[in-house]
Amino acid sequence: MNDIAEVSRSKGWFSTLIKRPFGLAAVLLLIGAVLAYGGTILMLNGGSSYYILSALAVLASAVLLFMGRREGAWLYAAMLIATFAWALWEVGLDGWQLMPRIIGPAVIGLWFLLPSTRRALTPGKAASWIEGKPRWSVLAVTVLAALIGVALHQTRQFPDNPIYQRGMTKASAATGMPPQAMTGAGDEWPVYGGDKAGTRFSQLSDITPENVEKLEKIWTYRAGVTPQGKRSSIQAVPIIIGNRFYFCTSINEVVALDSTTGKEIWRYDPKVNWRQVAHPVCRGVAYFKSAGDPASACSERIIGGTIDARLFALDARTGRPCQDFGTDGQISLLEGMGEVAPGYYYVSSAPTIVRGRIVVGGWVADGQYWGEPSGVIRAFDAVTGKLSWAFDIGRPDRTGLPPEGEHYTRSTPNSWSVMSADEDLGLVYAPMGNATPDYYGPHRRPFDEKYSSGVVAIDAETGKDRWFFQTTHHDIWDYDVASQPTLIDLPDGAGGVRRALIQPTKRAEVFVLDRATGEPIFDVEEVPVPQDGAAPGERLAPTQPYSVGMPSFRGRDLVESDMWGITPLDQMMCRIFYRTARYDGPMTPAGLTTWIQYPGYTGGSNWGSISVNPDRMLMTINVNHVANRNHLMPRDEADRIGLRPLPDGSGNVGGPVAQANTPYAASIASFLGPLGIPCQAPPFGTMSAVDLTTGKLVWTQKIGTSRGSGPLGIAVPFAIPMGSPNVGGSLNTRGGLSFIAATSDSHIRAFETASGRLLWRADLPAGGASTPISYRGEDGRQFIAIAASGSAGLGGTRGDHVVAYALSPK
């Protein structure tokens, strides 16, 4: 009988054992171990102690579950309530911030509520005591913890957001400025930026806040595939002349369409050597009308550049090369440049036409080596293609071609983005990059330092500079000025106007200058910046210019609680990444130890620039909020891993760059977590409006949704507003609307300019990594058009489309 009883007891023990929730316990044990490991590292580096405390609770809960004790469930519940309170204390009621802190633990908590889990657990004395209390008491404790968390959050001190440094105001009514001060495009869109001032403003007003929701897609054009078999990516901003719609593809094909119907009229292929460039791009073409016989060939011409460094002129009517321009309608931009490896120098932006001259800068590969091609800016006769002048900062005494055996000064700051021009003043305004390579600078010469990372005003007749304003001193952050300067006349308070230039920057500082003199109109202050952590041999600027008279769009300085993720685990890793990197706020120096750069190399503001509404004196700006996590590496380390200048200049912005002929290479990357999403919390992109008479913020809001992006590169199908990274610009119209695409979610949007209200949104066939334009079709309707082909950097849907919208015919 004793043997039988023993067997019975053994079977009972085994039956009880196999019913225990080992799966849940094992999951908790694994999660607890990861939290304990990461939490220890985080705490040792000065970070939050929450993760190690939660690890202890989770591990203890796992042990109790292995024992079949219901106290394990109650311990986890207590941890969950404490987590809820802690999360509300850290981030308040910010839903995106609460998500990684609460959702994961809560989902696991549901496992405890399964009947199979509850049946498998035996209550001990502690559990029996808790379960003897009224059920509402648990809810009361949870609510009390939440209220305490929210209340304590109000006592936390966070860095100020400089977007509010000038305060806020409401949009004013029309300013009543004199007619000559009104700028923008009319029935046509004849220039990349709408006008030579780069206002991206349309005087058309048929589409209004009242009827914008009735916009319909009128036509779509497909550019087709490139020789590589890829869709012909289009970042170009089209131009409209008469009823012709002109744009370029990534391999510099120029296409002319009927602007009302979208039907192709002609297409020109310059037959570029596309194999030389890893990521070809063309952002626009230019238009020139000569003073000769309007009926003659090439009296109106389209000017474009190529990725193999040529400049060509086409008859705007037929698309045939203009035979009077250079040789067979083209000139080489490599003349006078010396040795240039394929892919290291070309024209990526639309040329600027001023006083009968074509003014071009050039894209130069980032970060490859000291000694790369010159950043010379040149002007060519728009009819003959002959060189008019060259602005070579290393040889200011020489404005022509270098003598035989010489070349333009190498590795000088370049101007790769779009320029602006003031015909009355006879000035062309060039946004300037920094001298290559980007993240180390003791080798730079005095003239490099003088003209790096700013905006220069050049005499359109002589090529001599009139003034220069620097937006970043001794730039070792790749803060080249990517945005086209915008020219606008501002009221001077005495009934007249002040001729202004607005220069957005990757730093997200917006400088407002007198465009005749370069002097600031809104206050600029030199502010001391961090000095610790620079690479040996580096020399740092002690101060940097801050536009304190305008809002700054850089976002508030990052703190540990800004770190983000999908789950507590990847969020914890981002907090570790943050704590183990150098970060002293904006302008933290590049160095051998990992540093966080915020804003990152995409900005702030990039080549999309700003748009303005001169009727209301409003500026609209879209910016990115994504940091970088970078480090320099000694030359011997770079040599060991085979990091050398690339043959085609590719891989030049994000990723490792050789910086050859200097002591250090650089590893440059967006600040991403283990799941490939940004380590900082949303929003990653915003759009804002500023009153240009006061410098005060009018409104700001997120732009973009979650659609088209996601963890591990997996695009999610749902669109939750979060503010996404953006590439492209905005359009303002006299109808009181601001149009923008730019985000990876493949939408184009219309906001009310005065209030920021979203009034219309339409699906695009691909991401609109461009800037919308507006024009009047032959049928009398106002059109809104945009290139929609996506962006490799943003992800999302790719395509080869150009799309036009208008109101239905009456």
Side-chain angles (χ1 to χ4, degrees):
M1 292 292 292
N2 290 337
D3 291 341
I4 294 174
E6 184 66 29
V7 169
S8 178
R9 283 194 296 270
S10 298
K11 286 183 177 180
W13 177 84
F14 181 74
S15 176
T16 302
L17 182 65
I18 62 174
K19 289 180 181 179
R20 291 177 184 175
F22 287 125
L24 176 55
V27 169
L28 292 180
L29 191 63
L30 178 62
I31 292 173
V34 174
L35 286 172
Y37 178 75
T40 301
I41 295 174
L42 180 60
M43 193 166 62
L44 291 175
N45 282 280
S48 172
S49 59
Y50 161 79
Y51 294 89
I52 190 67
L53 295 175
S54 64
L56 295 175
V58 170
L59 289 171
S61 178
V63 171
L64 289 168
L65 290 184
F66 273 119
M67 297 170 61
R69 299 283 297 278
R70 196 173 292 178
E71 282 83 354
W74 285 109
L75 179 57
Y76 189 88
M79 186 277 298
L80 202 57
I81 293 172
T83 294
F84 193 37
W86 166 78
L88 290 169
W89 167 74
E90 269 218 319
V91 298
L93 298 175
D94 185 323
W96 282 109
Q97 284 270 48
L98 289 173
M99 179 190 76
R101 292 166 168 83
I102 292 176
I103 290 181
V107 168
I108 292 176
L110 296 177
W111 199 341
F112 285 91
L113 301 180
L114 295 176
S116 58
T117 304
R118 298 174 67 183
R119 286 194 301 267
L121 298 177
T122 303
K125 289 183 179 181
S128 298
W129 181 83
I130 295 171
E131 290 168 9
K133 303 300 178 185
R135 292 186 177 182
W136 57 261
S137 61
V138 177
L139 178 61
V141 170
T142 303
V143 171
L144 179 61
L147 291 175
I148 292 173
V150 171
L152 291 177
H153 176 74
Q154 306 306 315
T155 67
R156 296 198 69 197
Q157 298 294 317
F158 293 96
D160 293 333
N161 190 334
I163 195 173
Y164 301 110
Q165 66 187 10
R166 291 284 297 145
M168 293 191 70
T169 188
K170 292 183 178 180
S172 60
T175 61
M177 291 280 286
Q180 65 268 22
M182 295 302 185
T183 57
D187 289 347
E188 300 178 332
W189 191 270
V191 185
Y192 172 93
D195 53 13
K196 294 182 180 181
T199 59
R200 278 161 284 279
F201 175 70
S202 170
Q203 298 175 7
L204 302 183
S205 58
D206 301 3
I207 303 171
T208 66
E210 291 70 35
N211 62 22
V212 65
E213 64 180 11
K214 298 178 182 178
L215 279 177
E216 298 178 351
K217 186 188 298 182
I218 304 302
W219 58 259
T220 299
Y221 177 82
R222 303 291 299 272
V225 299
T226 66
Q228 306 101 307
K230 300 178 181 179
R231 290 293 178 191
S232 187
S233 176
I234 306 166
Q235 291 188 354
V237 177
I239 61 174
I240 310 295
I241 308 296
N243 194 39
R244 298 286 178 91
F245 184 111
Y246 301 98
F247 70 94
C248 57
T249 71
S250 61
I251 56 172
N252 304 120
E253 295 171 309
V254 179
V255 183
L257 307 177
D258 183 300
S259 65
T260 307
T261 67
K263 292 182 179 179
E264 184 175 304
I265 298 171
W266 56 256
R267 185 167 182 153
Y268 170 75
D269 184 358
K271 301 188 184 305
V272 298
N273 189 348
W274 52 267
R275 293 181 178 84
Q276 293 182 347
V277 180
H279 304 291
V281 65
C282 178
R283 296 198 176 97
V285 294
Y287 167 79
F288 174 73
K289 185 176 182 179
S290 66
D293 182 2
S296 63
C298 286
S299 61
E300 297 178 72
R301 54 188 64 192
I302 301 298
I303 311 295
T306 70
I307 55 177
D308 53 7
R310 287 178 284 150
L311 194 65
F312 60 79
L314 308 175
D315 189 311
R317 298 186 187 91
T318 66
R320 297 190 184 97
C322 297
Q323 297 303 312
D324 57 352
F325 186 86
T327 302
D328 295 327
Q330 63 181 359
I331 61 173
S332 172
L333 294 174
L334 298 180
E335 187 177 10
M337 295 292 288
E339 182 182 355
V340 177
Y344 269 78
Y345 173 87
Y346 58 86
V347 174
S348 60
S349 297
T352 299
I353 310 294
V354 56
R355 296 200 174 182
R357 294 171 175 85
I358 306 165
V359 184
V360 293
W363 180 91
V364 177
D366 286 57
Q368 297 302 304
Y369 65 96
W370 168 247
E372 290 189 42
S374 176
V376 62
I377 297 171
R378 287 170 286 182
F380 301 89
D381 186 283
V383 175
T384 66
K386 292 182 179 178
L387 179 69
S388 295
W389 50 258
F391 177 63
D392 176 3
I393 65 170
R395 291 297 304 268
D397 58 316
R398 186 171 66 196
T399 57
L401 272 171
E404 187 71 27
E406 297 186 33
H407 49 71
Y408 297 117
T409 310
R410 301 185 75 87
S411 273
T412 50
N414 63 315
S415 181
W416 60 266
S417 190
V418 181
M419 305 177 198
S420 303
D422 186 322
E423 290 277 0
D424 293 337
L425 291 177
L427 294 178
V428 58
Y429 302 95
M432 299 295 287
N434 53 355
T436 57
D438 297 305
Y439 295 95
Y440 186 71
H443 52 276
R444 295 175 188 166
R445 301 151 296 196
F447 50 79
D448 296 321
E449 299 284 33
K450 177 181 178 181
Y451 289 100
S452 176
S453 298
V455 57
V456 62
I458 304 172
D459 189 304
E461 300 282 355
T462 66
K464 297 288 188 179
D465 67 306
R466 293 270 193 90
W467 58 260
F468 176 77
F469 180 87
Q470 192 162 67
T471 61
T472 303
H473 306 320
H474 190 69
D475 182 4
I476 54 171
W477 301 271
D478 195 17
Y479 282 154
D480 51 330
V481 180
S483 303
Q484 180 186 21
T486 293
L487 316 182
I488 187 171
D489 292 343
L490 299 178
D492 64 1
V497 297
R498 187 90 181 264
R499 293 177 293 189
L501 176 149
I502 305 172
Q503 185 59 73
T505 67
K506 285 185 179 182
R507 291 179 55 207
E509 299 292 318
V510 178
F511 297 91
V512 183
L513 313 173
D514 186 306
R515 68 176 182 266
T517 66
E519 294 297 316
I521 294 176
F522 286 86
D523 288 346
V524 175
E525 292 182 4
E526 289 289 333
V527 177
V529 292
Q531 299 291 298
D532 294 334
E538 184 60 271
R539 60 176 188 269
L540 299 175
T543 64
Q544 293 289 350
Y546 282 80
S547 183
V548 296
M550 288 281 285
S552 172
F553 301 93
R554 66 181 183 270
R556 64 178 176 83
D557 294 356
L558 299 176
V559 295
E560 185 193 326
S561 60
D562 291 325
M563 298 303 103
W564 193 61
I566 300 296
T567 71
L569 301 182
D570 62 309
Q571 190 216 31
M572 178 183 68
M573 289 303 300
C574 282
R575 297 174 88 125
I576 292 172
F577 293 160
Y578 173 84
R579 283 292 182 178
T580 54
R582 277 187 302 111
Y583 178 64
D584 298 319
M587 318 306 285
T588 297
L592 292 173
T593 56
T594 299
W595 86 95
I596 293 173
Q597 176 184 333
Y598 183 59
Y601 59 71
T602 58
S605 179
N606 210 289
W607 56 263
S609 195
I610 63 169
S611 61
V612 296
N613 183 318
D615 295 348
R616 288 179 173 268
M617 284 293 141
L618 289 178
M619 175 191 83
T620 304
I621 181 171
N622 56 292
V623 298
N624 290 294
H625 299 283
V626 178
N628 288 152
R629 192 169 184 268
N630 311 327
H631 72 272
L632 300 183
M633 62 183 82
R635 181 59 51 201
D636 57 351
E637 180 182 341
D639 290 342
R640 278 198 308 273
I641 64 174
L643 187 53
R644 296 179 178 84
L646 297 168
D648 58 1
S650 63
N652 54 81
V653 180
V657 286
Q659 298 201 139
N661 302 329
T662 75
Y664 308 106
S667 177
I668 310 301
S670 295
F671 186 13
L672 304 180
L675 299 182
I677 61 174
C679 263
Q680 64 197 87
F684 308 126
T686 57
M687 186 170 177
S688 308
V690 175
D691 186 321
L692 290 172
T693 61
T694 64
K696 293 184 177 182
L697 182 72
V698 176
W699 54 262
T700 184
Q701 64 167 280
K702 304 170 186 175
I703 178 173
T705 66
S706 57
R707 193 178 81 165
S709 58
L712 302 175
I714 301 171
V716 298
F718 44 83
I720 303 175
M722 67 184 302
S724 67
N726 49 89
V727 174
S730 63
L731 159 72
N732 261 290
T733 72
R734 181 153 287 161
L737 295 168
S738 298
F739 292 87
I740 190 168
T743 55
S744 59
D745 59 6
S746 300
H747 287 145
I748 182 171
R749 298 170 169 86
F751 297 89
E752 184 177 45
T753 305
S755 68
R757 284 191 303 136
L758 178 64
L759 301 177
W760 173 75
R761 185 178 72 183
D763 289 337
L764 291 170
S770 182
T771 300
I773 66 168
S774 186
Y775 61 92
R776 192 175 300 284
E778 279 194 327
D779 59 5
R781 289 185 292 175
Q782 179 183 358
F783 280 73
I784 304 293
I786 189 168
S789 66
S791 166
L794 286 184
T797 306
R798 303 297 300 276
D800 60 342
H801 305 72
V802 180
V803 186
Y805 300 86
L807 297 173
S808 298
K810 295 179 180 179

